[in-house]
Amino acid sequence: NNYIRSHVGTSCRRMAHYDFDDVDLEALVNDMNSSFESLYTSCSVQTESTSLLHNGQPPRPAAYHTHAQPTSQHQRLCRSQPMHILAVRRLQEEDQQYRTSSLPAIPNPFPELCSPASSPTLSSGSFPQCQPSGKYIIKIFSEDGMGKVVEIPADMTARDLCQFLVYKNHCVDDNSWALVEHHPALGLERCLEDHELVVQVQASMTSESKFLFRKNYAKYEFFKNPLNFFPEQMVALCQETSGTIPPSQLLQNFLNSSSCPEIQGYLYVKEMGRKSWKKLYVFLRRSGLYFSTKGTSKEPRHLQLLADLEDSNVFTVITGRKLHNAPTDFKFCIKPNKVRNEVKELRMLCAEDEQSRTCWMTAFRLFKYGILLYQNYKIPQQRKTLLSHFSAPVRSVSENSLVAMDFSGRIGRVIDNPVEAQSAAMEEGHAWRKRSQRMNILGSPSPLHASSLSGVIHRTQLWFHGRLSREESHKMINQQGRVDGMFLLRDSQSNPKAFVLTLCHHQKIKHFQILLCEEDGQMFLSLDDGATKFTDLIQLVEFYVLNRGVLPCKLKHPCTTVAL
């Protein structure tokens, strides 16, 4: 480059000496041609004298450096100036192209890790391959069987996809939506963890498998009520330590990788490739699922591995007992990630009751993911706290700030006497009922009148599911999580004029019949044989959301379905 600058500079200086009034064009052309000719010749000689390139590569063929020299002054004059410039540029481009055809040699900073046959330099194949950041097509199904195709990036997690679907379908964002991996051929399903990548999960699924979008209230319920999920008789310490686990430190022991809690108890285990089941004493630890060959012994020589936690996932079996000849209805399965449609490779297990099955499956998730589950649980709460600082303040009105008023006179007055206030409220209620009854007698009310809407308005609510059978209501609550306060309302199959409230409490599903009762010619709905009466189901639900009444717990989580 310095050489080129010197020659160009010399040519420019020579051009500066000419006077443009009496310039000799022929002398000027000869001077420029001789300068570029010397530059071109020197570059060719210097390139030919080089024996090797920098990286130990052989020199370029001589054809790239051999150029015909002008033999006469006439030829030198006829050769145009741009020819020399293009030749130099071509040499530079060919030299640059030849140099970049192979990666430069990089010294290996760890030669001791290389085998004797390996090269001390890192080749192009030593570099990791870049994964393409393209888009992937995912099809999501709702519980009504309708599907929706979405395009997602490769790094989208299950939580992000759920948030996207909640936004697109205008759902209530209560952090209870989940993406479910469903295998109809195997009769298995599980909820994806919030941190799992959807594209990676889809890669391990078959063409018949699909993703479902629905509620799951029990996803992180064990962080709120750990004692309901882990019975004291099922939780124990490993044989390396002694003592009992304090209830307050139950979750800390599961999340702390240095501690050694374990889940123990009897399980029915299906033999691989057979239809028979064996009742074994099983231990679930961080290293895997084991069973004892000698009673309840924990000695290492009596323990055999049933399943590994690292390359497996725990699924709920949604098929009936007859298909697998199961001893109980509380089945679950440990499926290796490499298994697709091979039922023989599945580790089928069966618990005594629903609480035991929930304990085993929850402990499996905690042992596999550990602190990741707690981080997934805290993220929505942190986001809610962050958004609360930017949202408008909500005015809180307590019951003490509400007073009874009397507007019977010219001006309103505050009723201080509580007995008078209660009688005024009862009188106002009776007057409203009489007005409603009188409207029904005088003529047919408007379709928008409250009395006509009270019999059908509940059908627009998300918690009402119409003519749903008892078995279907059990299935829906099982799918969305058996947590305290989960409920739905449906038509009664035994009494066409009644309704049924299906409620979950302590992982047990109970049914309460809502009957019609008459008072002063007015029809009401009641759960407690007329002790508490309501004009419609919406009032009934709103009351038991705030008050337990005759129910074992308050109504908290409505069992809903969404259409994509």
Side-chain angles (χ1 to χ4, degrees), residues 159 163 172-178 194 215-216 219-220 379-381 383-384:
R159 179 194 294 276
Q163 292 293 322
V172 179
D173 187 10
D174 54 358
N175 301 313
S176 60
W177 296 97
D194 288 342
K215 292 269 190 177
N216 184 13
K219 199 170 188 179
Y220 301 114
I379 286 176
Q381 298 181 357
R383 184 182 59 182
K384 185 177 180 180

Side-chain angles (χ1 to χ4, degrees), residues 273-498:
R274 298 182 181 180
K275 293 185 178 181
S276 58
W277 295 73
K278 286 187 176 180
K279 190 175 183 180
L280 303 174
Y281 201 76
V282 183
F283 303 92
L284 180 60
R285 299 175 178 176
R286 299 188 190 277
S287 56
L289 184 67
Y290 302 87
F291 75 95
S292 177
T293 59
K294 187 178 181 181
T296 60
S297 175
K298 295 184 179 181
E299 297 185 16
R301 60 192 180 96
H302 294 150
L303 297 182
Q304 290 190 12
L305 182 66
L306 272 176
D308 186 17
L309 276 63
E310 186 67 25
D311 299 326
S312 304
N313 283 306
V314 60
F315 286 78
T316 302
V317 181
I318 58 178
T319 55
R321 295 173 56 180
K322 295 182 179 180
L323 180 62
H324 300 285
N325 196 23
T328 66
D329 291 325
F330 311 104
K331 306 179 296 297
F332 63 103
C333 169
I334 297 178
K335 175 182 172 291
N337 296 334
K338 62 181 180 180
V339 174
R340 289 183 174 266
N341 281 334
E342 298 81 4
V343 182
K344 297 181 180 180
E345 299 295 329
L346 303 178
R347 178 59 70 182
M348 306 293 295
L349 304 169
C350 202
E352 294 283 354
D353 50 23
E354 180 62 33
Q355 187 180 25
S356 300
R357 177 171 70 170
T358 305
C359 178
W360 287 103
M361 297 181 67
T362 306
F364 187 99
R365 295 171 55 204
L366 281 170
F367 282 146
K368 181 175 181 179
Y369 298 109
I371 196 64
L372 275 176
L373 289 185
Y374 185 72
Q375 294 174 355
N376 294 339
Y377 165 68
K378 297 298 290 185
I379 286 176
Q381 298 181 357
Q382 295 172 356
R383 184 182 59 182
K384 185 177 180 180
T385 304
L386 181 63
L387 293 177
S388 64
H389 297 291
F390 301 97
S391 59
V394 180
R395 182 182 177 184
S396 176
V397 180
S398 63
E399 295 181 356
N400 296 330
S401 63
L402 302 178
V403 295
M405 299 287 295
D406 179 17
F407 297 98
S408 58
R410 290 186 177 182
I411 59 174
R413 68 179 182 90
V414 178
I415 302 177
D416 296 325
N417 188 356
V419 178
E420 183 184 0
Q422 185 176 3
S423 63
M426 294 180 64
E427 182 181 354
E428 179 66 23
H430 286 298
W432 178 82
R433 293 174 185 173
K434 289 180 180 179
R435 285 196 302 268
S436 175
Q437 186 177 2
R438 186 166 57 251
M439 287 293 297
N440 292 337
I441 295 174
L442 292 177
S444 143
S446 170
L448 298 179
H449 196 268
S451 60
S452 63
L453 292 178
S454 61
V456 295
I457 195 173
H458 58 269
R459 299 189 179 275
T460 63
Q461 304 300 308
L462 296 176
W463 37 257
F464 188 79
H465 296 273
R467 299 184 61 83
L468 194 70
S469 65
R470 187 185 186 98
E471 293 75 16
E472 290 173 339
S473 64
H474 278 239
K475 179 181 178 181
M476 185 174 292
I477 289 183
N478 285 330
Q479 289 176 347
Q480 300 191 14
R482 290 197 178 193
V483 297
D484 290 352
M486 175 172 285
F487 73 97
L488 61 88
L489 272 78
R490 55 188 176 87
D491 292 324
S492 176
Q493 293 180 319
S494 58
N495 188 353
K497 295 184 179 181

Side-chain angles (χ1 to χ4, degrees), residues 25-214:
L25 295 178
E26 184 177 0
L28 177 60
V29 171
N30 293 338
D31 193 4
M32 292 291 295
N33 285 337
S34 60
S35 298
F36 283 102
E37 190 70 34
S38 60
L39 172 63
Y40 174 77
T41 307
S42 61
C43 290
S44 301
V45 173
Q46 183 179 1
T47 307
E48 289 177 355
S49 61
T50 306
S51 58
L52 290 176
L53 293 180
H54 285 290
N55 293 328
Q57 304 291 339
R60 295 192 307 270
Y64 291 155
H65 310 294
T66 305
H67 300 277
Q69 300 292 335
T71 57
S72 64
Q73 181 71 17
H74 177 72
Q75 293 177 354
R76 187 164 58 248
L77 290 176
C78 292
R79 173 174 274 179
S80 62
Q81 176 180 340
M83 286 293 295
H84 301 286
I85 296 176
L86 290 176
V88 174
R89 287 180 179 176
R90 184 180 61 190
L91 284 175
Q92 293 176 350
E93 290 174 358
E94 290 173 352
D95 181 70
Q96 183 69 18
Q97 181 180 2
Y98 192 81
R99 288 176 181 271
T100 58
S101 60
S102 62
L103 289 175
I106 302 176
N108 190 354
F110 305 104
E112 65 276 4
L113 300 180
C114 295
S115 58
S118 302
S119 171
T121 60
L122 297 178
S123 61
S124 60
S126 303
F127 295 98
Q129 302 230 343
C130 236
Q131 295 296 334
S133 58
K135 300 290 185 177
Y136 294 85
I137 302 299
I138 302 292
K139 191 169 185 180
I140 312 295
F141 291 86
S142 59
E143 291 180 296
D144 59 357
M146 302 301 293
K148 187 174 185 178
V149 177
V150 295
E151 188 181 42
I152 65 171
D155 58 346
M156 177 170 277
T157 62
R159 179 194 294 276
D160 297 335
L161 183 54
C162 288
Q163 292 293 322
F164 173 78
L165 294 175
V166 166
Y167 172 76
K168 284 293 184 181
N169 295 278
H170 308 285
C171 303
V172 179
D173 187 10
D174 54 358
N175 301 313
S176 60
W177 296 97
L179 200 64
V180 180
E181 178 185 354
H182 180 71
H183 300 272
L186 301 176
L188 306 176
E189 67 180 23
R190 75 173 181 99
C191 287
L192 270 67
E193 304 298 342
D194 288 342
H195 65 273
E196 290 189 80
L197 298 180
V198 180
V199 175
Q200 290 185 359
V201 177
Q202 189 189 38
S204 63
M205 298 167 57
T206 61
S207 58
E208 298 179 353
S209 305
K210 56 186 178 181
F211 288 117
L212 302 178
F213 178 63
R214 67 175 177 222

